[in-house]
Amino acid sequence: MSAVGEGDWALLIVEGRERRKSYVFRVRSKASYTTFAGSLRGSQLVGIPWGSRVELGKGVAYVLKPNLYDLMMHVLPRRSQVIYPKDAGYIASAAGLLPGMRVLEAGAGSGFLTIWLAAHVCPGGAVYTYEVRSDMRELAASNVRAAGLEGCVTIKEGDIRKGAEERELDAAFLDMPDPWEALGPIRPSLKPSAPVVVFTPTVNQVIKLLDALKSIGGYAVQEVSELIKREWEARPEALRPAVRMIGHTGFITVLRALA
Ligand SMILES: C[S@@+](CC[C@H](N)C(=O)[O-])C[C@H]1O[C@@H](n2cnc3c(N)ncnc32)[C@H](O)[C@@H]1O
């Protein structure tokens, strides 16, 4: 659709004199929306072309159609620590993901990494994700549906430390407290050379993982990384890093399955 419709999700980028902020909401003609630069009514939005500029009391709003990134960052509910786009993008790259690949994941959590993985391997591929908690399995399923990717994602309630049913998988992704407990059990599911990307919030877990690998065997360590994203205030007259940032998310360890 080229015009904003009743009930559509909208992304508003609001620019004031000294700041800029994004808002994502469903457009309702009878609602009104408050931003730091002034308010606007839903009736001002319904029917205008996407990409329109609307004047506010103390600034302007650009009315845009939100993409998957906008919906994930602003709308989809989360009840676990989720994998942020900066890490998800690198995780997918380090695993060499391509459409058509079949991959394993655990735990599904809020389904955020599941969605990024599905966005890479679909169409034609598949994400099999295991989650021990039924409430998290349901949340992940509902977020994957909201992203429109349910066709290529299978969410299973189960403990990945008991292994996975699938075979000949192209890659695996572990974001769970004790990933070293899953590495032996998932090995028969992976093609030799398949990347296994492990995400752990603490350095203690990385040490435990590297130590455990000595006795588990079956994998080569490819790399351990950490990614830091620093956002900047996009104001040409005062270009500088933003005062607040997400200082830490987690460590990314890339392993490769051996023959
Ligand atoms: C940090 S969350 C994962 C978040 C997810 N990567 C995301 O981006 O939304 C960790 C999840 O792993 C699940 N989990 C923990 N141990 C597990 C296991 N042995 N098998 C399957 N899931 C497990 C937890 O219930 C939790 O939902």
Side-chain angles (χ1 to χ4, degrees):
M1 297 296 148
S2 55
V4 181
E6 176 79 25
D8 283 351
W9 286 106
L11 161 69
L12 225 58
I13 298 180
V14 177
E15 273 181 7
R17 247 171 49 85
E18 293 197 346
R19 53 189 286 227
R20 174 184 290 109
K21 190 171 172 191
S22 295
Y23 302 80
V24 179
F25 52 83
R26 269 203 199 279
V27 177
R28 305 283 180 208
S29 48
K30 291 195 173 135
S32 66
Y33 304 96
T34 305
T35 79
F36 75 87
S39 304
L40 74 172
R41 295 181 314 281
S43 55
Q44 285 176 270
L45 298 175
V46 174
I48 64 170
W50 288 112
S52 294
R53 176 190 157 108
V54 174
E55 298 294 330
L56 298 175
K58 292 181 184 160
V60 294
Y62 299 102
V63 185
L64 303 160
K65 203 173 176 60
N67 60 22
L68 185 55
Y69 173 88
D70 303 315
L71 293 173
M72 290 179 77
M73 298 316 288
H74 291 271
V75 178
L76 294 195
R78 25 177 122 166
R79 281 204 301 271
S80 62
Q81 189 60 259
V82 299
I83 293 200
Y84 274 77
K86 76 166 171 80
D87 293 313
Y90 183 70
I91 287 169
S93 307
L97 290 188
L98 287 171
M101 286 183 168
R102 297 168 57 250
V103 304
L104 177 68
E105 188 204 11
S110 304
F112 275 49
L113 182 62
T114 319
I115 291 171
W116 298 122
L117 295 176
H120 280 83
V121 301
C122 300
V127 181
Y128 304 98
T129 183
Y130 285 68
E131 171 56 56
V132 271
R133 282 176 48 185
S134 54
D135 59 331
M136 296 308 286
R137 198 193 71 81
E138 278 164 28
L139 176 64
S142 129
N143 281 341
V144 166
R145 265 197 311 279
L149 289 163
E150 66 276 23
C152 88
V153 176
T154 306
I155 308 184
K156 299 187 166 187
E157 198 170 321
D159 186 341
I160 196 64
R161 292 173 300 187
K162 295 182 180 150
E165 293 165 337
E166 295 74 23
R167 290 291 178 270
E168 288 292 300
L169 298 178
D170 296 295
F173 303 87
L174 299 175
D175 178 12
M176 56 190 279
D178 50 0
W180 47 87
E181 299 290 347
L183 287 174
I186 67 167
R187 178 62 199 85
S189 296
L190 303 170
K191 290 179 182 168
S193 307
V196 177
V197 187
V198 183
F199 185 86
T200 43
T202 71
V203 80
N204 311 62
Q205 289 165 300
V206 182
I207 295 170
K208 200 157 176 183
L209 174 65
L210 296 176
D211 270 343
L213 277 165
K214 289 181 205 154
S215 51
I216 297 166
Y219 295 94
V221 178
Q222 188 165 14
E223 65 169 72
V224 177
S225 309
E226 178 193 9
L227 289 130
I228 294 171
K229 176 188 169 216
R230 187 156 70 143
E231 203 170 323
W232 286 51
E233 298 286 354
R235 293 170 52 213
E237 69 284 6
L239 187 67
R240 61 168 175 78
V243 174
R244 294 201 187 95
M245 69 183 280
I246 294 169
H248 177 67
T249 52
F251 300 99
I252 295 169
T253 305
V254 184
L255 312 173
R256 303 296 287 265
L258 301 175

